[in-house]
Amino acid sequence: MKNRIQQKFPTLPGFNPRGNPGSEEDVMINRIKQKFVELKKWQKKAFIAYIAAGDPNLGTTVELVKAFDQAGVDIVELGVPFSDPLADGTTIQMASQRALKQGVTINKILQIVQRIRQTSQIPIALMTYYNPIFHYGLAAFLKKARQAGVDGVIVPDLPPEEGQDLIREAKKFDLATVFFISPTTQVHRMARIAKASTGFVYYVSVTGITGARQILPKELIENIKKAKRLTDKPICVGFGVSTPEQVKQLSQAADGVIVGSAIIKQIEKHRGKKDLIKSVSRFVQELAKPLRTHER
Amino acid sequence: MKTFPDKHGHFGEFGGQFVPETLMSCLADLKKAFATLRKQKAFQQELAHYLNDYAGRPTKLYFAERLSQKFKNLKIYLKREDLLHTGAHKINNTLGQILLAKHMGKTRIIAETGAGQHGVATATVSALFGLKCQIYMGQQDMERQALNVFRMQLLGATVVPVTSGSQTLKDAMNEAIRDWVTNVRDTFYIIGSVAGPHPYPLIVREFQSIIGREARMQFLLKEKKLPDYLVACVGGGSNAMGLFHAFYQDHRVQMIGVEAAGRGVNTDHHSATLSSGSIGVLHGSKSELLQTKDGQIRIAHSIAAGLDYPGVGPEHAYYKKIGRARYESVTDQEALSGLKLLSETEGIIPALESSHAIFYLTKMNRQVKKKSSVIVCLSGRGDKDMHTVREKLLK
């Protein structure tokens, strides 16, 4: 049985269970994995910001990511727009629509990652629905993504059972593959999902779609702790998180907190204004602050 | 013999479960409940009771003599799914699925609808079983099918207008999935076609395959042989799969699915997924899709709202790939001629969806041997389309 599971969800590079130092895999270190090693050393938690690439335009995305690097963001998730984002609430749906109207494509997003890499080494994951990358060709996409400076991929409509091709190809390029655990995930699946994930595991806070929420489920902290007992990999929690208080509360149990819609709402609010970058990064700084209080 | 789908829901390279993690446990529950219930005699008897006494099964296999005379090479039989309660084959599936919902203890029903036929069929069975029902429908479709909206409301359902994207079936399905992800614990999603994540393509096929099982037996009784051809329209593909599946192993029976060519397969306004699409992932399964070079889903078009979908059930993609069925297409204009043709020769006004299959007979008549026999699935009646047809024909 154990063998079968291992075959299905092979162990991925960077997570050498025996911890052999100096193995070949450690040479080409992945920025996301590296980040969690550092954070662990300093006993800190990750603040992860999601924005839709190309909302309101690609130039702004570049500036935002650079500003986030200075504002206390540990990892950036760049959303690849898709015509049918069925795991997303209205905020991200509309951001995707705006990006698509700008003519944003995978190639254009990879170009801006390259631009960001000229001045910033902030870890970047692409969050994309499966069809655009499947249509692009998984191997070609992952190779180009790695070359451009992407560190991981997150695919919300791809459970590990269907993700074997992605996992195999991503392994070749040492790209992290982040899979999801949700409140409805049964315990026996949690371990398998964690095993298939590299970089971190994405814990979905609510039974639902993305979008800022006032109140998060009571049992959330307990559930994250439960998941943490099943894996050594970092667990980051997202969906619905929108305030510094929620960030603080969740960081007690999780290794990182992800905020998306709340940031996009700020981008929406300041669209077309000169102070967009400044205002949004100030907002992000406030969100990240609870994780930055005990400075090194 | 190898049967499809395999246990992970794959039909060859197609099918599968491409859904947010939140739905995975629910799909596993559904798969289990379906596997258990389909084997239970009591469940089958309950389903048969509603199909027969409530919906009006078995439906007739009617020899369309005057229509056949029009075509010198064809002997045409119509499988009269249009005579079912609510006016289309959709009720076969909604009755089956609501019984599943009941046995699984779900208290709330959701569904997506394009033409409104599946919405009406879902609202109908929800009323029959006293369950709360919410139907997602594209704003544009609500305007095209205002009467069906009213019917659903009359049946006690809430119809939610979907204003995102193209405001048609695919967007209604996105919205229904979002609702499902949010309310998965008490909500049962009745998918109307052989699409969506596993086990839906299997479940819908099972409940619709009664069409083919009946037709096969009826044809054997009448003609003492099997038909040469099966013809059915294909949007998502539930009536076609319903007719085809019972004949899968009858290798000499040729299957033809007729897609909507809209204003022409070479324009941007059609829904002929299998005729001109490419492989991709939409709404939980891998199949053929209409998509742009960047992998964005294209907006489909058809005069028939029930065919207006940029995807197709994964099993059809598989049938095409292995050559078990072929897929042709018929334009909006041709479908209108098909509707007129059947109305004038047989006194049967078909739904615009089924009219695609009817018109295809004129094309195939030129290609087949004399005395070829064909069963056409008359999936629905045309009442719902009178407004659209009147507008087009008066133009």
Side-chain angles (χ1 to χ4, degrees), chain A residues 4 8 80-89 93 97 100 104-106 130-132 134-135 156-162 165 180-186 189 193 204 206-209 213, chain B residues 7-8 10 15-25 28-29 164-165 170-171 174-175 177-178 181-185 278-284 286 289 291-298:
Chain A
R4 253 182 62 205
K8 212 158 180 234
V80 176
F82 181 48
S83 52
D84 295 76
L86 50 75
D88 285 305
Q93 281 177 47
Q97 284 297 323
L100 283 176
V104 171
T105 60
I106 287 175
Y130 194 51
N131 195 58
F134 176 73
H135 187 72
D157 59 348
L158 189 75
E161 285 85 344
E162 299 287 357
D165 293 348
F180 293 78
I181 290 177
S182 87
T184 58
T185 304
Q186 289 148 324
R189 271 181 65 78
I193 293 166
V204 180
V206 295
T207 307
I209 52 178
R213 285 164 175 84
Chain B
K7 66 180 173 166
H8 302 294
H10 294 125
Q17 295 181 314
F18 296 84
V19 293
E21 172 59 28
T22 307
L23 297 177
M24 288 300 281
S25 69
D29 291 347
S164 57
K170 91 174 165 75
D171 306 280
N174 289 337
E175 212 51 43
I177 293 174
R178 290 183 188 117
V181 170
T182 308
N183 302 297
V184 62
R185 288 186 174 91
S278 54
I279 188 167
V281 171
L282 177 67
H283 295 148
K286 196 182 278 180
L289 291 182
Q291 55 187 327
T292 67
K293 64 178 188 349
D294 298 315
Q296 306 294 340
I297 309 305
R298 276 172 49 186

Side-chain angles (χ1 to χ4, degrees), chain A residues 55-116:
Chain A
D55 170 39
N57 54 59
L58 289 164
T60 306
T61 304
V62 172
E63 294 311 311
L64 279 172
V65 174
K66 288 182 186 170
F68 286 0
D69 197 2
Q70 305 302 313
V73 173
D74 295 300
I75 298 168
V76 170
E77 281 180 21
L78 281 182
V80 176
F82 181 48
S83 52
D84 295 76
L86 50 75
D88 285 305
T90 322
T91 308
I92 294 179
Q93 281 177 47
M94 281 162 63
S96 296
Q97 284 297 323
R98 288 194 293 268
L100 283 176
K101 270 202 185 131
Q102 296 281 320
V104 171
T105 60
I106 287 175
N107 281 336
K108 286 182 183 171
I109 293 170
L110 296 181
Q111 281 164 16
I112 66 163
V113 173
Q114 260 175 333
R115 263 168 73 192
I116 293 165

Side-chain angles (χ1 to χ4, degrees), chain B residues 45-325:
Chain B
Q45 281 170 344
E46 195 181 7
L47 179 60
H49 159 71
Y50 285 107
L51 285 175
N52 298 344
D53 295 354
Y54 182 75
R57 298 213 74 88
T59 59
K60 301 291 180 193
L61 185 71
Y62 165 69
F63 171 47
E65 196 175 352
R66 286 208 350 116
L67 183 67
S68 300
Q69 282 165 7
K70 284 258 168 192
F71 305 116
K72 58 179 193 303
N73 295 336
L74 293 174
K75 185 164 192 190
I76 301 160
Y77 280 87
L78 301 176
K79 181 62 176 162
R80 297 294 309 274
E81 296 298 298
D82 61 317
L83 292 179
L84 286 173
H85 181 44
T86 72
H89 71 292
K90 294 288 183 187
I91 192 94
N92 302 327
N93 170 48
T94 57
L95 275 172
Q97 286 198 43
I98 203 144
L99 284 174
L100 283 180
K102 196 185 91 172
H103 283 279
M104 289 177 77
K106 304 285 181 180
T107 55
R108 180 172 173 269
I109 300 294
I110 57 167
E112 83 294 338
T113 195
Q117 287 309 102
H118 175 58
V120 168
T122 303
T124 300
V125 296
S126 299
L128 177 65
F129 286 87
L131 293 176
K132 261 190 305 189
C133 175
Q134 192 150 314
I135 305 288
Y136 289 92
M137 191 169 183
Q139 177 79 46
Q140 200 192 323
D141 286 339
M142 283 179 76
E143 285 158 23
R144 287 199 277 189
Q145 302 288 344
L147 266 182
N148 266 345
V149 174
F150 182 66
R151 283 167 84 191
M152 288 182 262
Q153 288 164 341
L154 208 57
L155 291 159
T158 311
V159 184
V160 184
V162 176
T163 54
S164 57
S166 61
Q167 310 190 355
T168 60
L169 182 55
K170 91 174 165 75
D171 306 280
M173 198 150 174
N174 289 337
E175 212 51 43
I177 293 174
R178 290 183 188 117
D179 179 318
W180 191 30
V181 170
T182 308
N183 302 297
V184 62
R185 288 186 174 91
D186 68 346
T187 297
F188 191 98
Y189 180 17
I190 297 188
I191 293 184
S193 196
V194 283
H198 178 64
Y200 279 100
L202 171 67
I203 290 177
V204 179
R205 180 186 82 192
E206 169 109 347
F207 291 139
Q208 290 296 1
S209 61
I210 192 161
I211 301 173
R213 287 200 304 273
E214 282 178 9
R216 190 173 182 279
M217 214 182 308
Q218 290 164 326
F219 195 90
L220 278 171
L221 279 174
K222 284 177 202 276
E223 295 282 336
K224 314 285 182 262
K225 59 167 189 168
L226 288 170
D228 299 310
Y229 294 94
L230 305 175
V231 175
C233 64
V234 175
S238 70
N239 89 85
M241 193 48 68
L243 178 63
F244 293 174
H245 189 252
F247 296 88
Y248 181 77
Q249 293 188 67
D250 302 322
H251 297 290
R252 293 182 56 194
V253 179
Q254 297 188 46
M255 304 168 176
I256 303 163
V258 185
E259 298 192 299
R263 291 177 206 150
V265 180
N266 299 322
T267 68
D268 282 340
H269 305 277
H270 67 83
S271 305
T273 311
L274 289 165
S275 311
S276 76
S278 54
I279 188 167
V281 171
L282 177 67
H283 295 148
S285 61
K286 196 182 278 180
S287 185
E288 298 273 325
L289 291 182
L290 297 179
Q291 55 187 327
T292 67
K293 64 178 188 349
D294 298 315
Q296 306 294 340
I297 309 305
R298 276 172 49 186
I299 292 170
H301 163 83
S302 169
I303 190 173
L307 304 182
D308 200 343
Y309 182 63
V312 66
E315 195 165 7
H316 283 295
Y318 177 68
Y319 273 28
K320 181 191 159 198
K321 175 115 188 181
I322 62 169
R324 184 63 193 91

